[in-house]
Amino acid sequence: MYAAPAIQKLLDELERLPGVGPKSAQRIAYWLLNTDKDIALRLSEAIVEVKESVHFCARCFNYAEDETCEICSSTKRDAHIICVVSEPRDIPPIERTAAFSGVYHVLGGALSPIEGIGPDNLHIAELLQRLASETVTEVLLATNPNVEGETTATYLARLIKPLGITVTRLASGLPVGGDLEFADEVTLGRAIESRRTL
Amino acid sequence: MYAAPAIQKLLDELERLPGVGPKSAQRIAYWLLNTDKDIALRLSEAIVEVKESVHFCARCFNYAEDETCEICSSTKRDAHIICVVSEPRDIPPIERTAAFSGVYHVLGGALSPIEGIGPDNLHIAELLQRLASETVTEVLLATNPNVEGETTATYLARLIKPLGITVTRLASGLPVGGDLEFADEVTLGRAIESRRTL
Protein backbone atom coordinates (compact mmCIF):
# COMPACT_ATOMS: atom_id res chain seq x y z
CA MET A 1 0.00 0.00 0.00
CA TYR A 2 1.66 3.22 -1.17
CA ALA A 3 -1.01 5.66 0.00
CA ALA A 4 -3.75 5.66 2.62
CA PRO A 5 -6.83 3.80 1.23
CA ALA A 6 -8.93 6.97 1.05
CA ILE A 7 -6.19 8.69 -0.94
CA GLN A 8 -5.77 5.69 -3.26
CA LYS A 9 -9.51 5.66 -3.88
CA LEU A 10 -9.47 9.37 -4.76
CA LEU A 11 -6.51 8.79 -7.12
CA ASP A 12 -8.40 5.95 -8.85
CA GLU A 13 -11.47 8.13 -9.37
CA LEU A 14 -9.46 11.14 -10.57
CA GLU A 15 -7.60 9.01 -13.13
CA ARG A 16 -10.90 8.21 -14.84
CA LEU A 17 -11.34 11.87 -15.83
CA PRO A 18 -10.47 12.80 -19.43
CA GLY A 19 -6.96 14.24 -19.78
CA VAL A 20 -6.01 13.28 -16.22
CA GLY A 21 -3.17 10.74 -16.00
CA PRO A 22 -1.51 9.31 -12.87
CA LYS A 23 0.66 12.38 -12.29
CA SER A 24 -2.12 14.93 -12.77
CA ALA A 25 -4.29 12.79 -10.48
CA GLN A 26 -1.54 12.91 -7.84
CA ARG A 27 -1.19 16.70 -8.13
CA ILE A 28 -4.94 17.17 -7.84
CA ALA A 29 -5.30 14.68 -4.96
CA TYR A 30 -2.55 16.29 -2.88
CA TRP A 31 -3.95 19.73 -3.70
CA LEU A 32 -7.35 18.57 -2.42
CA LEU A 33 -5.71 17.12 0.70
CA ASN A 34 -3.90 20.37 1.45
CA THR A 35 -6.62 22.83 0.54
CA ASP A 36 -9.36 24.18 2.82
CA LYS A 37 -12.02 21.60 3.53
CA ASP A 38 -14.68 24.08 2.30
CA ILE A 39 -13.10 24.39 -1.12
CA ALA A 40 -12.70 20.63 -1.58
CA LEU A 41 -16.28 19.99 -0.47
CA ARG A 42 -17.60 22.68 -2.83
CA LEU A 43 -16.21 20.64 -5.74
CA SER A 44 -17.75 17.47 -4.33
CA GLU A 45 -21.13 19.20 -3.97
CA ALA A 46 -20.92 20.74 -7.44
CA ILE A 47 -20.54 17.22 -8.89
CA VAL A 48 -23.53 15.94 -6.92
CA GLU A 49 -25.61 18.98 -7.89
CA VAL A 50 -24.84 18.67 -11.57
CA LYS A 51 -25.83 14.99 -11.55
CA GLU A 52 -28.97 15.62 -9.47
CA SER A 53 -30.33 18.73 -11.12
CA VAL A 54 -29.19 18.73 -14.75
CA HIS A 55 -31.16 16.84 -17.39
CA PHE A 56 -32.18 17.49 -21.00
CA CYS A 57 -34.50 20.32 -22.08
CA ALA A 58 -37.83 18.84 -23.17
CA ARG A 59 -37.88 21.09 -26.23
CA CYS A 60 -34.33 21.44 -27.55
CA PHE A 61 -32.31 18.75 -25.64
CA ASN A 62 -29.85 21.29 -24.25
CA TYR A 63 -28.84 20.77 -20.61
CA ALA A 64 -31.55 22.20 -18.36
CA GLU A 65 -32.33 22.49 -14.67
CA ASP A 66 -36.05 23.14 -15.22
CA GLU A 67 -38.31 21.37 -17.72
CA THR A 68 -36.99 23.58 -20.51
CA CYS A 69 -33.54 25.18 -20.66
CA GLU A 70 -32.81 28.84 -19.91
CA ILE A 71 -32.66 29.72 -23.59
CA CYS A 72 -35.99 28.07 -24.47
CA SER A 73 -37.59 29.69 -21.41
CA SER A 74 -36.27 33.17 -22.24
CA THR A 75 -38.69 35.71 -23.73
CA LYS A 76 -35.76 37.59 -25.29
CA ARG A 77 -34.87 34.88 -27.81
CA ASP A 78 -36.11 34.83 -31.40
CA ALA A 79 -37.93 31.51 -31.70
CA HIS A 80 -38.22 31.90 -35.51
CA ILE A 81 -34.62 30.81 -36.00
CA ILE A 82 -33.30 27.49 -34.74
CA CYS A 83 -29.59 26.75 -34.53
CA VAL A 84 -28.95 23.00 -34.80
CA VAL A 85 -25.88 21.70 -32.93
CA SER A 86 -24.53 18.21 -32.23
CA GLU A 87 -24.00 18.49 -28.48
CA PRO A 88 -25.05 20.75 -25.59
CA ARG A 89 -21.38 21.71 -25.16
CA ASP A 90 -21.50 23.42 -28.58
CA ILE A 91 -24.00 26.00 -27.27
CA PRO A 92 -21.83 28.01 -24.81
CA PRO A 93 -19.20 28.94 -27.47
CA ILE A 94 -21.98 30.17 -29.79
CA GLU A 95 -23.58 32.15 -26.95
CA ARG A 96 -20.24 33.78 -26.18
CA THR A 97 -20.07 35.28 -29.69
CA ALA A 98 -23.31 37.22 -29.04
CA ALA A 99 -23.91 36.85 -32.81
CA PHE A 100 -26.96 34.62 -32.42
CA SER A 101 -30.22 35.44 -30.65
CA GLY A 102 -32.40 32.54 -31.79
CA VAL A 103 -33.05 29.20 -30.09
CA TYR A 104 -31.31 25.84 -30.37
CA HIS A 105 -31.90 22.21 -31.17
CA VAL A 106 -29.39 19.62 -29.96
CA LEU A 107 -29.10 16.48 -32.09
CA GLY A 108 -27.21 14.46 -29.51
CA GLY A 109 -24.44 13.55 -31.95
CA ALA A 110 -23.78 13.49 -35.70
CA LEU A 111 -24.41 10.96 -38.46
CA SER A 112 -21.60 8.42 -38.57
CA PRO A 113 -21.99 5.17 -40.52
CA ILE A 114 -18.66 3.94 -39.05
CA GLU A 115 -19.92 4.31 -35.49
CA GLY A 116 -23.36 3.06 -36.49
CA ILE A 117 -25.07 6.40 -35.75
CA GLY A 118 -27.99 6.89 -38.13
CA PRO A 119 -30.84 9.45 -38.26
CA ASP A 120 -32.87 7.44 -35.73
CA ASN A 121 -30.13 7.82 -33.11
CA LEU A 122 -30.32 11.61 -33.27
CA HIS A 123 -33.11 14.03 -32.26
CA ILE A 124 -34.04 14.60 -35.90
CA ALA A 125 -37.67 13.47 -35.63
CA GLU A 126 -38.11 15.94 -32.76
CA LEU A 127 -36.59 18.71 -34.89
CA LEU A 128 -39.03 18.00 -37.73
CA GLN A 129 -41.88 18.02 -35.20
CA ARG A 130 -40.76 21.44 -33.98
CA LEU A 131 -40.62 22.74 -37.56
CA ALA A 132 -44.19 21.48 -38.04
CA SER A 133 -45.63 22.91 -34.83
CA GLU A 134 -43.58 26.11 -34.31
CA THR A 135 -43.28 29.07 -36.70
CA VAL A 136 -39.71 28.74 -37.90
CA THR A 137 -38.27 30.82 -40.75
CA GLU A 138 -34.62 29.72 -40.64
CA VAL A 139 -32.64 26.71 -39.53
CA LEU A 140 -28.93 27.40 -39.01
CA LEU A 141 -26.94 24.16 -39.21
CA ALA A 142 -24.03 24.50 -36.74
CA THR A 143 -22.76 20.95 -36.68
CA ASN A 144 -18.98 20.54 -36.54
CA PRO A 145 -17.01 21.35 -39.73
CA ASN A 146 -15.75 17.76 -40.02
CA VAL A 147 -16.93 14.75 -42.05
CA GLU A 148 -19.73 13.69 -39.67
CA GLY A 149 -20.91 17.26 -39.13
CA GLU A 150 -20.97 18.07 -42.86
CA THR A 151 -22.80 14.81 -43.60
CA THR A 152 -25.37 15.64 -40.94
CA ALA A 153 -25.80 19.19 -42.28
CA THR A 154 -26.27 17.96 -45.85
CA TYR A 155 -28.77 15.34 -44.69
CA LEU A 156 -30.78 17.87 -42.67
CA ALA A 157 -30.72 20.47 -45.47
CA ARG A 158 -32.27 17.91 -47.83
CA LEU A 159 -35.04 17.19 -45.31
CA ILE A 160 -35.81 20.79 -44.33
CA LYS A 161 -35.54 22.80 -47.57
CA PRO A 162 -38.69 21.17 -49.06
CA LEU A 163 -40.61 22.57 -46.06
CA GLY A 164 -40.00 26.09 -47.39
CA ILE A 165 -37.73 27.03 -44.51
CA THR A 166 -34.43 28.82 -45.16
CA VAL A 167 -31.54 26.51 -44.30
CA THR A 168 -28.17 28.08 -43.54
CA ARG A 169 -24.77 26.71 -42.59
CA LEU A 170 -21.94 28.25 -40.55
CA ALA A 171 -19.55 30.01 -42.95
CA SER A 172 -16.16 28.62 -43.71
CA GLY A 173 -13.57 30.26 -41.54
CA LEU A 174 -13.62 27.48 -39.00
CA PRO A 175 -10.60 25.23 -39.39
CA VAL A 176 -11.75 22.10 -41.25
CA GLY A 177 -11.49 18.91 -39.23
CA GLY A 178 -11.54 20.89 -35.98
CA ASP A 179 -13.96 20.99 -33.08
CA LEU A 180 -16.58 23.73 -32.84
CA GLU A 181 -16.36 23.45 -29.05
CA PHE A 182 -12.86 24.96 -29.00
CA ALA A 183 -13.16 27.60 -31.74
CA ASP A 184 -12.17 31.14 -30.78
CA GLU A 185 -14.97 33.70 -30.45
CA VAL A 186 -13.95 35.98 -33.33
CA THR A 187 -13.70 33.15 -35.87
CA LEU A 188 -16.93 31.59 -34.72
CA GLY A 189 -18.71 34.98 -34.62
CA ARG A 190 -17.63 35.73 -38.20
CA ALA A 191 -18.75 32.26 -39.28
CA ILE A 192 -22.21 32.95 -37.87
CA GLU A 193 -22.46 36.39 -39.51
CA SER A 194 -21.48 35.13 -42.98
CA ARG A 195 -23.47 31.92 -42.86
CA ARG A 196 -24.39 30.67 -46.33
CA THR A 197 -27.69 29.36 -47.72
CA LEU A 198 -27.60 25.70 -48.69
CA MET B 1 -25.41 32.98 -18.86
CA TYR B 2 -23.60 30.53 -21.18
CA ALA B 3 -24.25 27.36 -19.19
CA ALA B 4 -26.86 26.15 -16.70
CA PRO B 5 -25.96 27.51 -13.21
CA ALA B 6 -25.10 24.04 -11.86
CA ILE B 7 -22.72 23.47 -14.77
CA GLN B 8 -21.14 26.92 -14.37
CA LYS B 9 -20.61 26.22 -10.67
CA LEU B 10 -18.92 22.90 -11.47
CA LEU B 11 -16.71 24.63 -14.08
CA ASP B 12 -15.69 27.26 -11.51
CA GLU B 13 -14.74 24.61 -8.95
CA LEU B 14 -12.86 22.46 -11.48
CA GLU B 15 -10.82 25.46 -12.66
CA ARG B 16 -9.38 25.84 -9.17
CA LEU B 17 -7.60 22.48 -9.49
CA PRO B 18 -3.88 22.57 -10.30
CA GLY B 19 -3.14 22.06 -14.00
CA VAL B 20 -6.81 22.44 -14.94
CA GLY B 21 -7.55 25.44 -17.19
CA PRO B 22 -10.90 26.52 -18.67
CA LYS B 23 -10.73 23.95 -21.50
CA SER B 24 -9.75 21.00 -19.31
CA ALA B 25 -12.49 22.05 -16.88
CA GLN B 26 -14.98 22.00 -19.77
CA ARG B 27 -13.86 18.55 -20.91
CA ILE B 28 -14.10 17.17 -17.39
CA ALA B 29 -17.47 18.84 -16.69
CA TYR B 30 -19.07 17.48 -19.87
CA TRP B 31 -17.54 14.08 -19.20
CA LEU B 32 -19.09 14.13 -15.71
CA LEU B 33 -22.45 15.21 -17.21
CA ASN B 34 -22.41 12.38 -19.73
CA THR B 35 -21.01 9.62 -17.56
CA ASP B 36 -22.97 7.21 -15.35
CA LYS B 37 -24.28 8.89 -12.23
CA ASP B 38 -22.57 6.21 -10.10
CA ILE B 39 -19.13 7.01 -11.47
CA ALA B 40 -19.53 10.77 -11.01
CA LEU B 41 -20.82 10.32 -7.46
CA ARG B 42 -17.92 8.00 -6.59
CA LEU B 43 -15.54 10.87 -7.31
CA SER B 44 -17.65 13.22 -5.23
CA GLU B 45 -17.66 10.74 -2.34
CA ALA B 46 -13.93 10.08 -2.62
CA ILE B 47 -13.31 13.82 -2.13
CA VAL B 48 -15.58 13.93 0.92
CA GLU B 49 -13.98 10.79 2.36
CA VAL B 50 -10.44 12.06 1.92
CA LYS B 51 -11.33 15.33 3.69
CA GLU B 52 -13.27 13.58 6.47
CA SER B 53 -10.97 10.68 7.24
CA VAL B 54 -7.42 11.75 6.40
CA HIS B 55 -5.35 13.71 8.90
CA PHE B 56 -1.70 13.70 10.02
CA CYS B 57 -0.03 10.75 11.77
CA ALA B 58 0.64 11.67 15.41
CA ARG B 59 4.14 10.24 15.18
CA CYS B 60 5.55 10.96 11.72
CA PHE B 61 3.10 13.51 10.18
CA ASN B 62 2.39 11.32 7.17
CA TYR B 63 -1.25 11.21 6.04
CA ALA B 64 -3.15 8.76 8.23
CA GLU B 65 -6.68 7.47 8.66
CA ASP B 66 -6.07 6.19 12.22
CA GLU B 67 -4.10 7.95 14.94
CA THR B 68 -0.84 6.76 13.40
CA CYS B 69 -0.25 6.01 9.73
CA GLU B 70 -0.11 2.53 8.20
CA ILE B 71 3.69 2.55 8.12
CA CYS B 72 4.11 3.60 11.78
CA SER B 73 1.48 1.01 12.80
CA SER B 74 3.12 -1.81 10.84
CA THR B 75 5.14 -4.39 12.79
CA LYS B 76 7.13 -5.19 9.63
CA ARG B 77 8.97 -1.87 9.51
CA ASP B 78 12.43 -1.27 10.98
CA ALA B 79 11.92 1.55 13.46
CA HIS B 80 15.68 2.01 13.89
CA ILE B 81 15.95 3.92 10.66
CA ILE B 82 13.98 7.08 9.96
CA CYS B 83 13.65 8.52 6.48
CA VAL B 84 13.05 12.28 6.63
CA VAL B 85 10.98 13.76 3.79
CA SER B 86 9.51 17.20 3.13
CA GLU B 87 5.93 16.21 2.32
CA PRO B 88 3.63 13.18 2.66
CA ARG B 89 3.51 12.97 -1.14
CA ASP B 90 7.23 12.08 -1.13
CA ILE B 91 6.54 8.79 0.70
CA PRO B 92 4.65 6.82 -2.00
CA PRO B 93 7.50 7.10 -4.58
CA ILE B 94 10.00 5.83 -1.96
CA GLU B 95 7.67 2.96 -1.01
CA ARG B 96 7.34 1.97 -4.64
CA THR B 97 11.12 1.37 -4.90
CA ALA B 98 10.88 -1.32 -2.16
CA ALA B 99 14.45 -0.24 -1.26
CA PHE B 100 13.50 1.15 2.17
CA SER B 101 11.92 -0.74 5.05
CA GLY B 102 12.32 1.80 7.84
CA VAL B 103 9.87 4.44 9.05
CA TYR B 104 9.36 8.06 8.05
CA HIS B 105 9.27 11.58 9.43
CA VAL B 106 7.55 14.30 7.43
CA LEU B 107 8.88 17.83 7.95
CA GLY B 108 5.92 19.57 6.33
CA GLY B 109 8.14 21.60 3.98
CA ALA B 110 11.77 22.64 3.59
CA LEU B 111 13.85 25.52 4.92
CA SER B 112 13.42 28.57 2.70
CA PRO B 113 14.55 32.02 3.88
CA ILE B 114 12.91 33.57 0.78
CA GLU B 115 9.50 32.14 1.67
CA GLY B 116 10.12 32.81 5.37
CA ILE B 117 10.16 29.11 6.31
CA GLY B 118 12.53 28.54 9.22
CA PRO B 119 13.20 25.52 11.48
CA ASP B 120 10.23 26.44 13.71
CA ASN B 121 7.82 26.07 10.78
CA LEU B 122 8.87 22.45 10.20
CA HIS B 123 8.40 19.32 12.38
CA ILE B 124 12.07 19.41 13.41
CA ALA B 125 11.50 19.63 17.17
CA GLU B 126 9.25 16.56 16.90
CA LEU B 127 12.00 14.73 14.98
CA LEU B 128 14.56 15.51 17.71
CA GLN B 129 12.06 14.32 20.31
CA ARG B 130 11.68 11.01 18.44
CA LEU B 131 15.48 10.64 18.26
CA ALA B 132 15.62 11.16 22.06
CA SER B 133 12.80 8.76 22.95
CA GLU B 134 13.06 6.06 20.26
CA THR B 135 16.09 3.87 19.51
CA VAL B 136 17.24 5.23 16.18
CA THR B 137 20.52 4.22 14.54
CA GLU B 138 20.22 6.01 11.19
CA VAL B 139 18.46 9.04 9.79
CA LEU B 140 18.17 9.06 5.99
CA LEU B 141 17.63 12.61 4.72
CA ALA B 142 15.37 12.36 1.66
CA THR B 143 14.49 15.98 1.13
CA ASN B 144 14.31 17.16 -2.49
CA PRO B 145 17.63 17.53 -4.37
CA ASN B 146 17.10 21.27 -4.84
CA VAL B 147 18.34 24.33 -2.94
CA GLU B 148 15.75 24.22 -0.14
CA GLY B 149 16.05 20.44 0.24
CA GLU B 150 19.85 20.51 0.39
CA THR B 151 19.78 23.38 2.89
CA THR B 152 17.36 21.44 5.06
CA ALA B 153 19.49 18.27 4.85
CA THR B 154 22.66 20.14 5.79
CA TYR B 155 20.88 21.84 8.69
CA LEU B 156 19.47 18.54 10.02
CA ALA B 157 22.80 16.72 9.60
CA ARG B 158 24.47 19.35 11.79
CA LEU B 159 21.80 18.86 14.47
CA ILE B 160 21.67 15.05 14.42
CA LYS B 161 25.30 13.94 13.96
CA PRO B 162 26.35 15.13 17.48
CA LEU B 163 23.73 12.70 18.88
CA GLY B 164 25.86 9.79 17.63
CA ILE B 165 23.29 8.77 15.02
CA THR B 166 24.39 7.92 11.48
CA VAL B 167 23.05 10.54 9.08
CA THR B 168 22.73 9.60 5.41
CA ARG B 169 21.55 11.42 2.30
CA LEU B 170 19.97 10.11 -0.90
CA ALA B 171 22.75 9.46 -3.43
CA SER B 172 23.23 11.70 -6.40
CA GLY B 173 21.55 10.23 -9.42
CA LEU B 174 18.42 12.27 -8.98
CA PRO B 175 18.34 15.15 -11.44
CA VAL B 176 19.37 18.27 -9.52
CA GLY B 177 16.64 20.90 -9.27
CA GLY B 178 13.97 18.26 -9.87
CA ASP B 179 11.12 16.99 -7.74
CA LEU B 180 11.47 13.77 -5.75
CA GLU B 181 7.72 13.24 -6.17
CA PHE B 182 8.12 12.58 -9.89
CA ALA B 183 11.40 10.62 -9.96
CA ASP B 184 11.31 7.25 -11.72
CA GLU B 185 11.54 4.15 -9.53
CA VAL B 186 14.90 2.86 -10.80
CA THR B 187 16.72 6.16 -10.28
CA LEU B 188 15.18 6.67 -6.88
CA GLY B 189 15.88 3.05 -5.86
CA ARG B 190 19.55 3.42 -6.81
CA ALA B 191 19.75 6.71 -4.93
CA ILE B 192 18.48 4.96 -1.79
CA GLU B 193 20.90 2.02 -2.16
CA SER B 194 23.98 4.23 -2.63
CA ARG B 195 23.05 6.79 -0.01
CA ARG B 196 26.12 8.58 1.36
CA THR B 197 27.10 9.40 4.95
CA LEU B 198 27.17 13.13 5.69
Side-chain angles (χ1 to χ4, degrees), chain A residues 1-7 9-10 13-14 16-20 23-24 26-54 56 63-65 70-71 87-93 95-96 181-183, chain B residues 1-7 9-10 13-14 16-20 23-24 26-54 56 63-65 70-71 87-93 95-96 181-183:
Chain A
M1 186 64 61
Y2 307 136
I7 301 175
K9 192 177 148 194
L10 178 60
E13 298 303 329
L14 286 170
R16 285 180 212 277
L17 300 176
V20 177
K23 286 183 181 177
S24 312
Q26 255 180 58
R27 269 182 81 187
I28 294 172
Y30 285 116
W31 184 89
L32 286 167
L33 274 161
N34 286 320
T35 199
D36 279 358
K37 193 172 172 180
D38 281 0
I39 292 174
L41 295 189
R42 275 215 304 273
L43 171 57
S44 166
E45 284 155 18
I47 295 169
V48 173
E49 199 184 319
V50 106
K51 295 306 282 188
E52 301 282 350
S53 69
V54 176
F56 292 111
Y63 289 127
E65 294 187 57
E70 296 205 337
I71 294 168
E87 302 286 353
R89 64 169 172 260
D90 296 330
I91 294 178
E95 288 296 289
R96 276 195 290 271
E181 184 183 359
F182 299 127
Chain B
M1 186 65 59
Y2 307 137
I7 301 176
K9 194 177 148 195
L10 177 59
E13 298 303 329
L14 286 171
R16 286 179 211 278
L17 300 177
V20 177
K23 285 182 184 179
S24 312
Q26 254 180 56
R27 269 181 80 189
I28 294 172
Y30 287 116
W31 184 89
L32 285 166
L33 274 162
N34 286 321
T35 198
D36 278 358
K37 194 173 172 180
D38 281 359
I39 293 174
L41 295 189
R42 275 214 304 275
L43 170 58
S44 166
E45 284 154 18
I47 295 169
V48 173
E49 200 184 319
V50 105
K51 297 306 282 187
E52 300 283 350
S53 69
V54 176
F56 292 112
Y63 290 127
E65 294 186 57
E70 295 205 337
I71 294 168
E87 302 285 354
R89 65 168 172 258
D90 296 330
I91 294 178
E95 288 296 290
R96 276 195 289 271
E181 183 184 0
F182 299 127

Side-chain angles (χ1 to χ4, degrees), chain B:
Chain B
M1 186 65 59
Y2 307 137
I7 301 176
Q8 191 56 52
K9 194 177 148 195
L10 177 59
L11 287 169
D12 293 343
E13 298 303 329
L14 286 171
E15 280 184 40
R16 286 179 211 278
L17 300 177
V20 177
K23 285 182 184 179
S24 312
Q26 254 180 56
R27 269 181 80 189
I28 294 172
Y30 287 116
W31 184 89
L32 285 166
L33 274 162
N34 286 321
T35 198
D36 278 358
K37 194 173 172 180
D38 281 359
I39 293 174
L41 295 189
R42 275 214 304 275
L43 170 58
S44 166
E45 284 154 18
I47 295 169
V48 173
E49 200 184 319
V50 105
K51 297 306 282 187
E52 300 283 350
S53 69
V54 176
H55 49 262
F56 292 112
C57 172
R59 185 177 173 218
C60 78
F61 300 98
N62 183 14
Y63 290 127
E65 294 186 57
D66 300 313
E67 203 203 332
T68 55
C69 73
E70 295 205 337
I71 294 168
C72 282
S73 309
S74 169
T75 53
K76 290 183 187 151
R77 310 295 299 217
D78 180 0
H80 296 94
I81 168 164
I82 295 180
C83 176
V84 175
V85 293
S86 293
E87 302 285 354
R89 65 168 172 258
D90 296 330
I91 294 178
I94 295 178
E95 288 296 290
R96 276 195 289 271
T97 67
F100 180 73
S101 59
V103 293
Y104 291 91
H105 189 86
V106 178
L107 296 172
L111 293 175
S112 171
I114 291 170
E115 293 180 41
I117 298 173
D120 295 344
N121 303 113
L122 305 177
H123 298 302
I124 291 177
E126 292 91 340
L127 173 61
L128 296 175
Q129 220 162 0
R130 283 181 72 181
L131 298 181
S133 62
E134 300 173 17
T135 315
V136 177
T137 55
E138 180 180 346
V139 171
L140 165 53
L141 299 172
T143 50
N144 278 319
N146 56 21
V147 177
E148 292 81 8
E150 293 291 354
T151 308
T152 309
T154 309
Y155 177 86
L156 290 176
R158 251 197 328 245
L159 280 181
I160 299 168
K161 279 205 283 188
L163 307 175
I165 295 166
T166 305
V167 178
T168 55
R169 177 89 176 103
L170 287 181
S172 66
L174 291 179
V176 172
D179 256 347
L180 195 150
E181 183 184 0
F182 299 127
D184 71 88
E185 292 158 35
V186 177
T187 309
L188 187 53
R190 193 161 305 160
I192 292 176
E193 282 153 20
S194 60
R195 59 189 182 263
R196 56 197 155 82
T197 306
L198 291 185

